[in-house]
């Protein structure tokens, strides 16, 4: 896989070539992020567990595109707000690691739902 | 920045150590993704452009955590559905590149909003 | 049940007594509406069909509160944009009635999912 | 305006005539509610305050339809979960009334944002 930093650079270049930064602000970026997340969700609406299993196998490209759209806005927001996303990610995972000790959380549904 | 593949491996390990995969299915992963996206959005609610500018400077860590949570679910879903996220991302960007030719889209608000 | 118009008047009065209209605009109202909708969704996350059946019986008050919060923003937006919500509702239902003829849509999952 | 109870009866009849209740469960209803809320939000994305003012005047019917779609799912969920929505609404408003005393909350942005 690519360096995340390289993917972020690609997004920046994509936008800058089009001179679109002038239209961007955090609120509208976050709205875009939310709308794209719900497009992922839309794929699974009304589907039973069995229907989903069949569906995801035959729709990998479509779901991949929606996930890519989510990444697009995450990367752009990280870039605009000068946030080091890979560092933020690693730190958050460490935080969760401490919050959900393996011995207590292991296979524990209750502990798990409290993660959310 | 880190390889995106390495970050994805970290998520997989985090989950597997806790034996949480048994609770996961695409619909609930996508719900989590949506909920985390709205937590990003919540930061900017009711704020004017000026208020946002001040806010984002003093809340980089908090916003970074929310973006990390979004990445967590994107990575987990990509992993569970066997989607190569960096390839999906690059292909989607190429598609958008063709869809929004630089000469027509440049600085064009109308073209831009049609991207969504 | 109450007249919907009376409930809408209650929202208007609630806001006007607090002099809050100055902070409102359609974008932030719609963000609030979205955030409250996801709070409803949060109640059902990670729950199996059986878990949901038990849960909804013991959490009617909590879910009722979240649905009330959604109504609050729908009513306020309808009011601010001078939209007659009960008329809009009846017209939309007529439209869907024509779109999903009973004989074709009856018990038809496929037709149903296309409603979305 | 109509009695809210009458609108709810219309939704129930619309669904029952099509024999669609078999496909419904709280999680998917809440997903639908969220998706419709984001369709309202989509109308205001990327628009400045001035652009919104012009837009809402010329798009009352379209926005009204989206708000009607949100109401559809609120009404259906209230009905399926046996929640008296107008009572839930009135009680929530009373709760907020106590939480945001007029003398302290009046014209107070800070207090206001804490409402969310």
């Amino acid at each position: 896989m690519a360096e995340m930093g390289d993917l972020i650079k690609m997004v920046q270049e994509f936008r800058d070539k089009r001179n679109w930064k002038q239209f961007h602000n955090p609120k509208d970026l976050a709205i875009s992020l939310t709308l794209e997340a719900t497009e992922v969700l839309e794929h699974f609406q009304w589907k039973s567990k069995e229907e989903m299993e069949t569906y995801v196998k035959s729709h990998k490209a479509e779901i991949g595109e929606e996930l890519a759209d989510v990444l697009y806005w995450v990367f752009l927001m990280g870039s605009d707000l000068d946030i080091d996303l890979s560092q933020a990610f690693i730190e958050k995972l460490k935080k969760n690691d401490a919050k959900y000790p393996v011995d207590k959380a292991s296979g524990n549904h209750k502990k798990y739902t409290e993660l959310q």
Side-chain angles (χ1 to χ4, degrees), chain A:
Chain A
M1 283 218 189
E3 280 273 335
M4 199 153 79
D6 290 336
L7 300 179
I8 293 173
K9 257 179 231 144
M10 290 174 68
V11 177
Q12 292 167 332
E13 279 170 27
F14 178 86
R15 177 175 68 175
D16 290 348
K17 278 204 286 186
R18 283 158 185 82
N19 206 8
W20 280 349
K21 193 174 178 177
Q22 58 185 311
F23 307 126
H24 286 180
N25 65 79
K27 192 185 290 189
D28 283 306
L29 294 186
I31 290 175
S32 299
L33 175 61
T34 299
L35 296 182
E36 293 301 341
T38 56
E39 293 199 14
V40 177
L41 181 56
E42 209 172 346
H43 279 277
F44 308 113
Q45 194 189 23
W46 304 119
K47 289 191 179 62
S48 69
K49 222 177 161 189
E50 295 70 34
E51 288 170 327
M52 274 196 280
E53 276 170 28
T54 317
Y55 184 86
V56 297
K57 280 177 197 152
S58 56
H59 288 77
K60 280 172 63 168
E62 292 84 349
I63 299 167
E65 274 203 34
E66 307 292 5
L67 291 173
D69 285 335
V70 174
L71 287 178
Y72 179 91
W73 297 108
V74 172
F75 290 169
L76 215 46
M77 186 173 287
S79 168
D80 281 3
L81 271 50
D82 193 28
I83 291 168
D84 183 323
L85 285 174
S86 86
Q87 196 193 325
F89 183 80
I90 290 166
E91 279 171 18
K92 186 64 198 282
L93 215 52
K94 271 187 203 156
K95 222 171 165 173
N96 282 339
D97 204 57
K99 204 173 169 187
Y100 300 95
V102 170
D103 58 334
K104 286 192 185 168
S106 178
N108 191 330
H109 190 213
K110 198 162 178 170
K111 265 289 159 219
Y112 179 70
T113 54
E114 284 163 13
L115 173 63
Q116 306 325 313

